[in-house]
Amino acid sequence: MEFDNEGCNSGPQFNFVYCGVILLLTIALACFGQPADALAEKNAESRGAYIFKAAGCVGCHTRAKPKGKFLAGGRRMETPFGAFYTPNITTDRQHGIGNWTYADFVAAMREGKTPDGSVYYPAFPYSSYTHIHDEDLRDLWAYLQTVPAVSEPRREHDLIFPFSLRFSVRGWRLLYFEASRFVPYPKKSLAWNRGAYLTRALGHCGECHTPRNLLGGLDKGRELAGNKNAPDGKRVSNITPHLKKGIGTWSESDIRSLLRDGSLPDGDFVGGSMTEVVENGTSHLTDKDLQAIAVFLKALAPHEGP
Ligand code: HEC
Ligand code: HEC
């Protein structure tokens, strides 16, 4: 038996052993290569599951009453412009986003653009999600691919004129929206930067806690200073460290507790839509991430609010 292989030219006996070893190594690599890939994939999914929770996607995209299927949409959102019904974002090809490419997903999240080139209403909080890191968007997408398809048709929004015309959003976008990315502030600590990212990008806390002007634009000069007229018409607390109007008397540990299980410093529990934010979102975050949010909130400019 002869091997005519350049790498195996030291006699037939040796050749056989040597090439055999190489062959085995190749087979081993091929075999172990696969689980390693699958593992990397799995990590992307579990990282994505964490992003998904930090970003609170489930509450809006799953009907509450009667309880709907996971991410099949149909949740009604009351606003001064009428009622929105969230779309199905399961992997269903007909009614969900099963036909989407990753580029479609990025355009939706970062730019608020639909696959056919139209624009989304800001009831989908892409003004915040536009700041999500590229890696996190990729992981989030990997996670969404694991969501079972639910064949449930979407329901049209029920908005008042002229907001019922989708292109009416273009004016709002000109004034208040710019596709963006989170840029770390080198002068601030790592914890502050992580907290800023969790609060401004993923947690989209400002969508409820920052006051808006008449046209529905966020008043960035009064970040998180509370909202007398939240989208659902309710009052949202001032969470800047203002001593009288905000949470200036809270410790970092008080903030962590509220976000972990909804408990307030006085022993009561938080109510309203914050219950759901805690349940679906912040209660799943690591202590380190909760601490980062606390550090960021304590460092905000204290503001009296509207
Ligand atoms: C505050 C409620 C809310 C949250 C939170 C929310 N969404 Fe949405 N989302 C909406 C609404 C409302 C729309 C529809 C907007 C429109 O019709 O213009 C939408 C649309 C979408 C679409 C477009 C679907 C399509 O078929 O065109 C995708 C994709 C999406 N959301 C994904 C997500 C992901 C991922 C998250 C979490 C990171 C998330 N959403 C969090 C309210 C929300
Ligand atoms: C869907 C709207 C919404 C979102 C998003 C939201 N909140 Fe809230 N939050 C509320 C409302 C409403 C209250 C007041 C609840 C009440 O009246 O008991 C509240 C209360 C709070 C309080 C308690 C303030 C106090 O004085 O009792 C804190 C702290 C807080 N939110 C932090 C956050 C953080 C941090 C985020 C982002 C991770 C966030 N919230 C996202 C609606 C929201």
Side-chain angles (χ1 to χ4, degrees):
M1 187 176 190
E2 278 207 5
F3 286 97
D4 203 18
N5 190 321
E6 283 207 322
C8 306
N9 53 2
S10 323
Q13 192 68 43
F14 181 74
N15 278 351
F16 188 69
V17 175
Y18 184 63
C19 292
V21 168
I22 297 223
L23 190 69
L24 278 178
L25 277 177
T26 314
I27 292 173
L29 263 180
C31 291
F32 288 114
Q34 230 157 356
D37 274 349
L39 196 72
E41 193 89 330
K42 190 149 186 241
N43 284 339
E45 285 161 15
S46 54
R47 282 195 308 269
Y50 188 79
I51 304 298
F52 176 80
K53 284 175 183 146
C57 316
V58 67
C60 283
H61 283 281
T62 307
R63 208 178 47 228
K65 284 182 210 151
K67 187 85 194 121
K69 294 239 173 71
F70 185 63
L71 296 188
R75 173 131 191 201
R76 186 181 164 95
M77 292 170 64
E78 287 301 339
T79 74
F81 314 108
F84 289 92
Y85 290 93
T86 54
N88 178 335
I89 57 166
T90 70
T91 46
D92 188 70
R93 289 179 166 276
Q94 193 186 355
H95 303 296
I97 58 171
N99 276 333
W100 281 32
T101 62
Y102 177 58
D104 291 335
F105 180 65
V106 173
M109 301 288 291
R110 185 148 339 267
E111 297 170 48
K113 292 219 172 110
T114 70
D116 63 9
S118 182
V119 290
Y120 287 114
Y121 288 99
F124 169 24
Y126 59 85
S127 315
S128 299
Y129 295 154
T130 185
H131 302 292
I132 297 180
H133 298 313
D134 287 330
E135 315 84 87
D136 286 354
L137 275 186
R138 258 195 305 274
D139 293 343
L140 183 55
W141 177 244
Y143 169 73
L144 288 175
Q145 301 310 299
T146 69
V147 172
V150 178
S151 171
E152 204 161 288
R154 66 187 52 217
R155 202 168 152 181
E156 291 303 316
H157 302 317
D158 190 3
L159 303 173
I160 51 177
F161 184 81
F163 307 107
S164 48
L165 305 172
R166 195 168 273 278
F167 66 76
S168 67
V169 179
R170 290 191 187 270
W172 177 90
R173 285 170 57 100
L174 272 179
L175 292 171
Y176 302 115
F177 177 73
E178 200 178 348
S180 181
R181 264 188 182 74
F182 181 82
V183 184
Y185 294 73
K187 287 195 181 141
K188 305 276 191 180
S189 68
L190 272 181
W192 184 95
N193 272 295
R194 177 69 181 163
Y197 178 65
L198 286 163
T199 306
R200 290 179 175 156
L202 296 179
H204 62 279
C205 316
E207 302 273 349
C208 293
H209 282 280
T210 298
R212 288 175 189 270
N213 58 27
L214 277 179
L215 289 172
L218 289 174
D219 182 350
K220 299 251 167 78
R222 296 192 285 180
E223 187 178 15
L224 301 177
N227 193 347
K228 279 193 176 142
N229 217 346
D232 61 1
K234 307 232 172 69
R235 217 184 136 268
V236 189
S237 338
N238 178 339
I239 55 170
T240 72
H242 192 277
L243 280 172
K244 291 222 174 79
K245 302 285 176 69
I247 57 170
T249 58
W250 292 34
S251 66
E252 286 173 354
S253 149
D254 289 336
I255 298 178
R256 287 200 310 271
S257 299
L258 180 279
L259 297 174
R260 190 183 302 117
D261 59 17
S263 56
L264 292 163
D266 65 6
D268 205 354
F269 282 91
V270 79
S273 47
M274 192 62 200
T275 318
E276 235 182 292
V277 172
V278 172
E279 214 170 278
N280 296 330
T282 56
S283 63
H284 300 278
L285 298 184
T286 61
D287 275 347
K288 200 174 165 203
D289 274 350
L290 294 183
Q291 173 62 15
I293 296 179
V295 166
F296 173 74
L297 293 184
K298 294 292 284 179
L300 281 169
H303 209 290
E304 211 174 329

